[in-house]
Amino acid sequence: MTDLDHTHDPALRSWVASANAADTDFPIQNLPLGMARAAGSTGAFRPVTAIGDQVLDLIAAAELGALSDALGAVLRTCEGHGLNPLMAIGPGLRRQLRHELVAALQDDAGPKQAAQLAPALKPMSEVEMTLPCRIGDYTDFYAGIHHATAVGKLFRPDNPLLPNYKWVPIGYHGRVSSIGVSGQIFRRPLGQTKAPEAEAPGFGPVKRLDYELEVGALVATGNEPGRPVPIDEAEQHLFGLVLLNDWSARDLQAWEYQPLGPFLAKSFATTISPWVITMEALAPFRRAFTRPDGDPRPLPYLDGAANRERGAIGIRLEVHLQTRAMRDAGQAPAKLMASDFADAYWTIAQMLTHHASNGCNLQPGDLFGSGTMSGPAADQGGSLLELTQGGKQAITLPGGEQRTFLQDGDSVALVGRCEAPGRRAIGFGPCVGTVMPAVA
């Protein structure tokens, strides 16, 4: 796991003034990575970092002498292709990039460095973001025990958690082609559903459309086929985290999921945030990984000293909803809930280790979803399915509108922010998706 160093110093400040604002997601202690180009451009997307309300073009920064030749060479291979080359090269060069960026952007660098890098900076409002990398495979886990328990109670009140849940990280393989970046607009899916009282299923627009509040993990270096990844080495194979909304059609899912699990109910859209918060930036927010008294200890292949001591990551997660009427009236989105990623029943290291334990070869850019991250209280559900008790209790929004499930025109925003005593808070930036009417 990444250790703390001078780049995490909460006293660090940047000559980019907006990076020093208390409420920014992107102070100099963060330095997330993504792919961007000038808004309205048809040029290739290039690797960038965020600093305050500015975006720094990393290839341009290297050409201007702010980054080493070795980094510049790797970054140039990312242009038009995504961050996969940087992911594949391992954590050493990624840490070097962080160190060189801090040296170039801290206020001690002075006006000379600011003038040197000015051509490489652009306001965030003037760039267009895309997916941070080529995602080869997507696996959705089920590590949110509060979500699993709450949903289990809806369908199996006497036995909400199945026997394997506390022993094995449950997951399924998702679909990559419909993963989009924040700002994604998608059509309400069509599907085959069956009402409980109906004699036969029907086909049409789904009625119980939902969101799922998740955290996504991106793989850095992979492993060879047939070679598992030991738990103590797992985080060396992780690049960073994003926010992830795995949209779900609950009525379609209820009809199709037995016996093989989710299919069309999950494959129509998944939205991720464009900025990858690196494992290095997350180091100050690590926590001990613990289990409730009486729960089984993970099997040896999923258990390691480092994972027990610092395997969990504290991220405050929120869901905000803005209806079309709210947007038209200029009303801000309404916060629906908040939870903490540190409550996950399995760590991302355990997810990666388990995924590779059968010899499955992971590759740079592979994406893991954490599963829905709910809190323990009834008002902390990470989906409408939980917050409305399966659609039985409508949520009333500030303007008087009600929701049991999503309606056309609704926009959902996920928010993630890391805070810890004595540390500079960092955030994830936007993860927003909007539902449009089904194809006529």
Side-chain angles (χ1 to χ4, degrees):
M1 292 183 182
T2 302
D3 294 324
L4 296 174
D5 60 29
H6 70 282
T7 67
H8 303 104
D9 183 352
L12 273 178
R13 293 174 64 83
S14 173
W15 50 261
V16 179
S18 58
N20 304 319
D23 60 349
T24 183
D25 278 349
F26 307 121
I28 195 170
Q29 292 83 356
N30 193 347
L31 300 175
L33 300 173
M35 297 291 294
R37 66 184 180 189
S41 169
T42 58
F45 287 93
R46 289 157 67 97
V48 294
T49 191
I51 180 74
D53 61 4
Q54 302 290 303
V55 172
L56 178 69
D57 183 322
L58 296 180
I59 294 177
E63 292 172 346
L64 292 168
L67 299 176
S68 64
D69 291 343
L71 279 169
V74 174
L75 291 166
R76 281 190 289 273
T77 66
C78 297
E79 183 174 8
H81 300 290
L83 296 173
N84 302 70
L86 182 62
M87 294 170 158
I89 209 163
L93 200 63
R94 187 177 72 238
R95 291 169 187 154
Q96 180 182 336
L97 173 61
R98 177 178 174 84
H99 287 196
E100 291 187 16
L101 285 173
V102 166
L105 293 168
Q106 64 181 324
D107 56 2
D108 288 348
K112 181 179 179 181
Q113 190 76 307
Q116 178 187 11
L117 284 177
L121 282 171
K122 190 176 289 292
M124 198 171 291
S125 59
E126 296 180 10
V127 303
E128 171 190 358
M129 304 293 294
T130 191
L131 293 173
C133 60
R134 297 188 311 277
I135 301 171
D137 286 293
Y138 167 42
T139 301
D140 197 25
F141 283 92
Y142 199 45
I145 191 169
H146 301 306
H147 171 75
T149 302
V151 172
K153 286 179 178 178
L154 291 175
F155 302 106
R156 299 180 304 275
D158 298 328
N159 187 30
L161 287 182
L162 295 176
N164 62 352
Y165 188 86
K166 294 184 177 182
W167 291 100
V168 58
I170 304 298
Y172 72 92
H173 297 293
R175 183 159 183 82
V176 171
S177 64
S178 52
I179 297 175
V181 75
S182 180
Q184 183 177 24
I185 298 173
F186 65 93
R187 295 281 186 177
R188 178 178 294 272
L190 302 170
Q192 185 181 132
T193 60
K194 182 182 178 298
E197 67 280 0
E199 293 184 4
F203 184 85
V206 301
K207 297 177 181 178
R208 294 163 66 91
L209 184 61
D210 203 355
Y211 58 80
E212 289 189 343
L213 169 63
E214 302 194 29
V215 172
L218 288 163
V219 174
T221 51
N223 59 300
E224 296 179 9
R227 290 187 176 272
V229 177
I231 185 70
D232 291 336
E233 299 176 13
E235 291 217 7
Q236 299 301 309
H237 293 262
L238 287 164
F239 189 73
L241 304 185
V242 295
L243 300 177
L244 186 152
N245 187 341
D246 198 29
W247 307 88
S248 298
R250 302 297 185 187
D251 42 355
L252 199 166
Q253 183 177 359
W255 176 237
E256 74 171 6
Y257 85 103
Q258 298 186 59
L260 294 181
F263 183 37
L264 300 183
K266 295 281 194 148
S267 63
F268 58 92
T270 300
T271 307
I272 69 172
S273 52
W275 294 107
V276 184
I277 311 304
T278 64
M279 301 309 296
E280 289 72 32
L282 293 164
F285 310 102
R286 308 304 295 250
R287 300 183 192 173
F289 168 68
T290 59
R291 285 279 174 83
D293 292 341
D295 279 16
R297 182 170 177 170
L299 293 179
Y301 81 102
L302 293 172
D303 190 23
N307 190 67
R308 290 193 301 272
E309 294 167 7
R310 300 182 63 217
I313 304 174
I315 307 172
R316 178 180 171 83
L317 300 169
E318 297 178 358
V319 176
H320 297 242
L321 173 64
Q322 187 181 51
T323 70
R324 177 180 290 157
M326 294 169 67
R327 197 160 49 249
D328 291 345
Q331 297 176 350
K335 187 176 82 170
L336 300 185
M337 57 74 69
S339 62
D340 192 337
F341 184 54
D343 287 343
Y345 199 76
W346 300 98
T347 68
I348 52 174
Q350 289 171 320
M351 295 178 209
L352 188 143
T353 292
H354 180 68
H355 204 318
S357 64
N358 67 342
C360 174
N361 54 313
L362 305 175
Q363 301 180 85
D366 283 356
L367 175 66
F368 298 167
S370 64
T372 305
M373 288 292 111
S374 303
D379 61 355
Q380 290 183 292
S383 66
L384 287 174
L385 182 69
E386 297 162 84
L387 293 177
T388 68
Q389 289 294 297
K392 297 175 183 177
Q393 300 175 6
I395 294 173
T396 301
L397 299 170
E401 292 181 275
Q402 291 189 323
R403 289 291 185 274
T404 52
F405 292 96
L406 296 172
Q407 296 184 13
D408 295 342
D410 287 352
S411 290
V412 176
L414 308 186
V415 175
R417 193 164 175 85
C418 299
E419 298 174 335
R423 293 295 172 186
R424 186 68 162 87
I426 65 173
F428 280 69
C431 183
V432 183
T434 303
V435 184
M436 299 299 287
V439 175

